[in-house]
Amino acid sequence: MKTVRFGVSMSPKLLQRFDESIAKKSYANRSEAIRDLIRESLVEIEWENSDEEVVGTITIIYSHTTRELVDKLTDFQHQAHQAIISTLHVHLDEHNCLEVMVVRGKSNFIREIAERLISTKGVKHGKLTMTSIGDKLA
Ligand code: NI
């Protein structure tokens, strides 16, 4: 099989962390590890864009001191009520809130909801996890 070589630039610190992480996973070399990461990412993108029924969680961290942000997030969660089954809210400290939403629906729609929530100005961190439940939902 024909292969192509290409260069990747990154900070020495990031490369060191990468090398440490692939050593733990027993990769023979960086190329092998990078190929796996790329494959994994492509599969994920493909899957996230399909209309498969999935369940998952959307986790966000934000400061509740921005009243507008809280209103915006709540409004949007109501709009998406059919996909957002449940929400857990934890007051992390005086300012920060952690919210975990349990979601269920078609993967492309769930991804849209997650992207919109996570990209909302003022949301500090966000993460979507999805898993297939196998059979189609009724
Ligand atoms: Ni809170």
Side-chain angles (χ1 to χ4, degrees), residues 10 25 35 40 54 58 76 87 92 102 138:
M10 66 178 80
K25 291 179 187 169
R35 279 194 290 272
E40 206 172 290
V54 295
I58 301 168
F76 183 63
T87 303
L92 289 178
V102 178

Side-chain angles (χ1 to χ4, degrees), residues 94-113:
E94 283 175 28
H95 306 290
N96 293 300
C97 301
L98 164 76
E99 226 159 71
V100 182
M101 286 151 273
V102 178
V103 286
R104 178 177 187 172
K106 290 190 186 302
S107 63
N108 47 7
F109 182 53
I110 297 298
R111 187 181 47 81
E112 265 178 46
I113 292 172

Side-chain angles (χ1 to χ4, degrees), residues 8-133:
V8 179
S9 308
M10 66 178 80
S11 71
K13 203 174 165 189
L14 184 60
L15 184 60
Q16 191 194 335
R17 286 173 58 193
F18 182 64
D19 283 343
E20 285 165 10
S21 82
I22 65 177
K24 275 184 202 151
K25 291 179 187 169
S26 308
Y27 277 108
N29 54 54
R30 286 175 187 156
S31 290
E32 196 54 50
I34 289 170
R35 279 194 290 272
D36 269 3
L37 281 176
I38 291 173
R39 282 188 203 108
E40 206 172 290
S41 157
L42 290 175
V43 166
E44 204 166 296
I45 288 165
E46 208 170 281
W47 189 59
E48 284 183 4
N49 286 300
S50 79
D51 62 355
E52 194 183 341
E53 294 284 345
V54 295
V55 287
T57 57
I58 301 168
T59 304
I60 53 173
I61 289 178
Y62 62 91
S63 170
H64 80 276
T65 47
T66 319
R67 186 51 56 190
E68 268 173 50
L69 173 61
V70 177
D71 287 347
K72 210 187 250 184
L73 291 172
T74 306
D75 278 352
F76 183 63
Q77 288 186 44
H78 278 272
Q79 280 173 41
H81 72 276
Q82 280 169 317
I84 301 174
I85 304 166
S86 178
T87 303
L88 168 73
H89 185 107
V90 179
H91 310 304
L92 289 178
D93 56 32
E94 283 175 28
H95 306 290
N96 293 300
C97 301
L98 164 76
E99 226 159 71
V100 182
M101 286 151 273
V102 178
V103 286
R104 178 177 187 172
K106 290 190 186 302
S107 63
N108 47 7
F109 182 53
I110 297 298
R111 187 181 47 81
E112 265 178 46
I113 292 172
E115 279 171 2
R116 181 141 166 217
L117 285 165
I118 293 166
S119 66
T120 302
K121 193 168 178 274
V123 172
K124 296 174 180 178
H125 300 287
K127 178 91 182 158
L128 164 67
T129 59
M130 291 197 293
T131 189
S132 169
I133 54 168

